[in-house]
């Protein structure tokens, strides 16, 4: 009888002590969980970006398929289809398309649509390295837009100085290594893409801050995706090379279809991750996610 009481007492007190230890361990590690999640997201995005560039480097020169506007449209439609599918499965609640939100999101929709086309154009036609070099300035320019648009951000002077220093060092190292022959259009398209992308991310964050508590992130992204799809569809109708995107495709080749599917899916995932980050966190966070691989690669090679 005494032994049974002792065993019961040990089980109760050991379980209580174990719960206390687990709680204390979780409490001490809780501040590190967001940082760990952020690192995982950045690593996954960087791997997707590297794979996307690799597939584009094979697909577009080999099959002579530089049609950026239809590819950008299909990427938007894939994200739209994913949202509608999640809504149909009951995993995401979506409100009907709102003209009021579409009007507020018109600036990032227009800027993001043209920037996505320029990004795919750079993968197909820009081989000098100027486009990815200017893209490393995206976090710094996003920081400037945050101040110009009066966004409520955490003004950490030390972090801002470190960001500017890392950007300067990364750009300087790459520029000293030299660039390949730069085409005339790259001098226009590279800074234009940087301007459009930074403005789009900062404006998304501004709309998300003003709509916080009234509209969900998924409703904002749904409206943004529908608006971008309409704009890119209209641009496809106006672009003279759009019909050639159908006639010049090697649709009988499974390799061609596989490469194209890889480009579309990887590109759609990257756009989704960057836009959701801008809507949920800030334009600066989205810019850092997009530029993390480009900023750190020269520093890593330097070690």
């Amino acid at each position: 009888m005494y032994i049974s009481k002792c065993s019961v007492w040990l089980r109760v007190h050991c379980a209580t002590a174990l719960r206390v230890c687990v709680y204390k361990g979780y409490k001490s590690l809780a501040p590190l969980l967001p940082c760990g999640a952020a690192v995982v997201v950045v690593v996954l995005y960087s791997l997707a970006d590297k794979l996307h560039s690799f597939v584009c480097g094979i697909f577009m020169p080999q099959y002579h398929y530089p049609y950026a506007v239809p590819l950008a449209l299909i990427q938007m439609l894939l994200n739209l289809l994913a949202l509608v599918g999640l809504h149909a499965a009951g995993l995401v609640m979506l409100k009907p398309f709102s003209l009021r939100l579409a009007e507020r999101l018109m600036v990032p929709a227009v800027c993001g649509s043209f920037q996505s086309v320029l990004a795919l154009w750079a993968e197909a036609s820009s081989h000098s390295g100027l486009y990815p070099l200017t893209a490393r300035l995206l976090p710094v320019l996003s920081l400037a837009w945050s101040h110009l648009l009066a966004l409520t951000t955490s003004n950490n002077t030390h972090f801002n100085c470190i960001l500017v220093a890392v950007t300067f060092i990364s750009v300087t190292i790459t520029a000293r290594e030299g660039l390949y022959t730069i085409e005339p259009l790259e001098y226009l398209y590279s800074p234009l893409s940087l301007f459009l992308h930074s403005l789009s991310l900062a404006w998304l964050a501004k709309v998300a801050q003003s709509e916080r508590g009234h509209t969900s992130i998924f409703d904002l992204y749904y409206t943004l995706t529908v608006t971008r799809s309409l704009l890119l569809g209209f641009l496809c109708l106006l672009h003279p090379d759009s019909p050639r995107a159908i006639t010049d495709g090697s649709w009988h080749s499974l390799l061609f279809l596989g490469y194209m599917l890889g480009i579309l899916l990887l590109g759609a995932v990257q756009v989704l991750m960057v836009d959701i980050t801008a809507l949920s966190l800030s334009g600066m966070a989205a810019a850092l996610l997009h530029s993390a691989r480009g900023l750190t690669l020269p520093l890593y090679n330097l070690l």
Side-chain angles (χ1 to χ4, degrees):
M1 186 69 178
Y2 177 76
I3 296 175
S4 63
K5 287 183 179 180
C6 287
S7 63
V8 171
W9 184 87
L10 286 173
R11 282 200 299 268
V12 172
H13 284 76
C14 286
T16 304
L18 181 62
R19 284 197 295 268
V20 171
C21 290
V22 171
Y23 174 74
K24 288 183 177 179
Y26 172 77
K27 191 174 181 180
S28 61
L29 293 176
L32 300 177
L33 293 179
C35 297
V39 170
V40 170
V41 171
V42 170
V43 169
L44 290 177
Y45 183 89
S46 299
L47 291 175
D49 183 39
K50 183 177 182 179
L51 184 58
H52 182 264
S53 299
F54 174 76
V55 176
C56 285
I58 296 175
F59 172 76
M60 292 180 173
Q62 181 174 345
Y63 291 99
H64 306 288
Y65 200 86
Y67 306 111
V69 180
L71 292 176
L73 173 60
I74 297 174
Q75 286 180 359
M76 284 297 105
L77 292 176
L78 286 175
N79 283 336
L80 182 60
L81 183 63
L83 281 177
V84 173
L86 291 174
H87 175 66
L91 299 176
V92 172
M93 299 302 296
L94 293 177
K95 295 179 181 179
F97 179 79
S98 172
L99 288 176
R100 180 188 67 85
L101 283 180
E103 183 180 353
R104 298 204 62 189
L105 291 168
M106 186 56 67
V107 171
V110 172
C111 294
S113 298
F114 282 101
Q115 191 277 328
S116 63
V117 173
L118 290 176
L120 286 169
W121 171 88
E123 295 285 359
S125 305
S126 175
H127 307 293
S128 66
L130 180 63
Y131 184 90
L133 181 65
T134 55
R136 296 175 193 176
L137 300 172
L138 183 62
V140 175
L141 204 57
S142 297
L143 179 64
W145 279 117
S146 298
H147 290 288
L148 289 175
L149 296 176
L151 295 177
T152 56
T153 56
S154 57
N155 294 322
N156 192 328
T157 307
H158 296 289
F159 174 78
N160 296 340
C161 293
I162 292 174
L163 175 64
V164 173
V166 170
T167 303
F168 176 78
I169 293 172
S170 178
V171 171
T172 303
I173 292 173
T174 307
R176 287 187 63 183
E177 292 176 354
L179 300 174
Y180 296 101
T181 304
I182 302 176
E183 297 182 8
L185 284 177
E186 292 185 66
Y187 288 108
L188 173 64
Y189 286 169
S190 296
L192 178 61
S193 175
L194 175 64
F195 172 81
L196 294 174
H197 203 181
S198 59
L199 178 59
S200 173
L201 296 179
W203 206 287
L204 278 179
K206 183 178 179 64
V207 175
Q209 284 186 4
S210 62
E211 293 291 333
R212 192 159 294 160
H214 307 285
T215 309
S216 70
I217 293 174
F218 291 105
D219 289 328
L220 288 171
Y221 189 66
Y222 174 71
T223 304
L224 176 70
T225 307
V226 171
T227 309
R228 279 184 181 174
S229 299
L230 294 174
L231 290 171
L232 287 170
F234 183 66
L235 187 59
C236 273
L237 294 176
L238 294 180
H239 202 282
D241 289 341
S242 293
R244 295 178 57 190
I246 299 176
T247 59
D248 289 357
S250 302
W251 306 108
H252 60 279
S253 172
L254 291 178
L255 201 57
F256 172 86
L257 296 175
Y259 280 133
M260 175 175 281
L261 183 62
I263 290 173
L264 294 175
L265 290 178
L266 290 169
V269 169
Q270 287 180 273
V271 171
L272 173 68
M273 292 176 69
V274 170
D275 290 340
I276 290 295
T277 303
L279 289 171
S280 58
L281 297 177
S282 66
M284 165 67 70
L288 285 172
L289 175 64
H290 180 73
S291 306
R293 176 171 168 261
L295 285 173
T296 56
L297 191 59
L299 302 177
Y300 177 79
N301 293 332
L302 193 62
L303 298 177

